[in-house]
Amino acid sequence: MKRALAIMVGAALILLLATLTLVVMPYLQMSAEQVPPDLEPYTERQLKGRQIYIANGCVYCHSQQPRDPSFASGDKDRGWGRPSVPGDYAYDTPHLLGTMRTGPDLFNIGARQPSKDWHLLHLYNPQAVVKDSIMPPYRFLFRWVRSVGEDDPVVRLPEPYAPEEGYIVPTEQALALVDYLLALDHTYPAPTLPEPEKTQE
């Protein structure tokens, strides 16, 4: 009986220590993290687009966390922007850091590709923009129509990708997803970014 009690107390202490180490301490540390002053909350439409991003599994092929050049210089060389800091994710719930990079990092895709037309074309037919892209097309986010109004959004498809007649127009879901992607612009200064180490000459 005493042995069983000792095992139970030991297990409870281990669980308490693990909770303090893995949950409480990171929470306290992150709650004090400085939010960059230029970081803006998502709009309602961008949040809707974010949910579409999640629902379509974009996070499985794209990360949103450029690494510090001292850890891996490749991210900077690819033009993915400055390293991310914890404050950059203040409005991200859940966080979409990603685990794989089958496609490029999207932390700054809104700055690298600020054109709505480019994103719509890329979602409809990735190979029309990047010839060797292995990204699947998301054509279910678009529809074919025979005619459009003057102010209706249209996917500007180059030859030979355009339909023989009619137009390809984005659904509200496609437009919301593009709004979210355009919001991924973290080119503002990050106050908590570590200063690069000075090399001795």
Side-chain angles (χ1 to χ4, degrees):
M1 184 67 182
K2 289 183 179 179
R3 185 175 180 186
L5 183 62
I7 290 173
M8 289 171 52
V9 170
L13 288 174
I14 290 171
L15 183 60
L16 176 63
L17 180 62
T19 303
L20 287 172
T21 305
L22 300 174
V23 178
V24 177
M25 288 177 62
Y27 176 79
L28 293 174
Q29 193 176 18
M30 295 307 298
S31 62
E33 183 66 30
Q34 185 178 356
V35 178
D38 295 329
L39 177 64
E40 296 181 4
Y42 296 113
T43 65
E44 189 175 332
R45 192 177 195 187
Q46 289 165 354
L47 285 172
K48 181 181 176 183
R50 192 171 190 272
Q51 290 305 313
I52 296 163
Y53 180 95
I54 294 169
N56 284 285
C58 303
V59 70
Y60 295 116
C61 292
H62 295 283
S63 62
Q64 291 187 29
Q65 51 173 328
R67 294 168 291 191
D68 190 288
S70 62
F71 177 70
S73 62
D75 291 3
K76 183 179 180 183
D77 296 341
R78 293 182 186 102
W80 290 349
R82 66 162 175 79
S84 58
V85 296
D88 290 324
Y89 307 103
Y91 303 117
D92 288 25
T93 305
H95 300 115
L96 304 177
L97 301 178
T99 57
M100 291 184 64
R101 284 181 173 167
T102 307
D105 186 275
L106 299 182
F107 186 68
N108 279 305
I109 190 62
R112 295 199 316 266
Q113 294 290 353
S115 167
K116 181 183 281 189
D117 287 338
W118 186 94
H119 284 285
L120 289 172
L121 175 56
H122 186 244
L123 287 170
Y124 183 77
N125 191 332
Q127 290 74 31
V129 181
V130 181
K131 185 180 177 182
D132 297 325
S133 175
I134 60 170
M135 176 174 154
Y138 287 83
R139 294 192 182 125
F140 57 89
L141 295 175
F142 300 84
R143 54 193 179 86
W144 178 89
V145 295
R146 192 171 298 281
S147 61
V148 292
E150 188 177 334
D151 296 327
D152 291 340
V154 174
V155 181
R156 304 185 189 289
L157 289 162
E159 295 291 344
Y161 304 103
E164 293 184 7
E165 61 175 329
Y167 302 89
I168 302 298
V169 297
T171 62
E172 182 58 33
Q173 286 186 318
L175 293 171
L177 177 55
V178 168
D179 272 10
Y180 169 66
L181 293 171
L182 292 174
L184 296 178
D185 179 351
H186 300 88
T187 52
Y188 51 78
T192 59
L193 196 63
E195 292 291 329
E197 294 182 9
K198 294 180 180 178
T199 55
Q200 293 181 346
E201 296 182 2

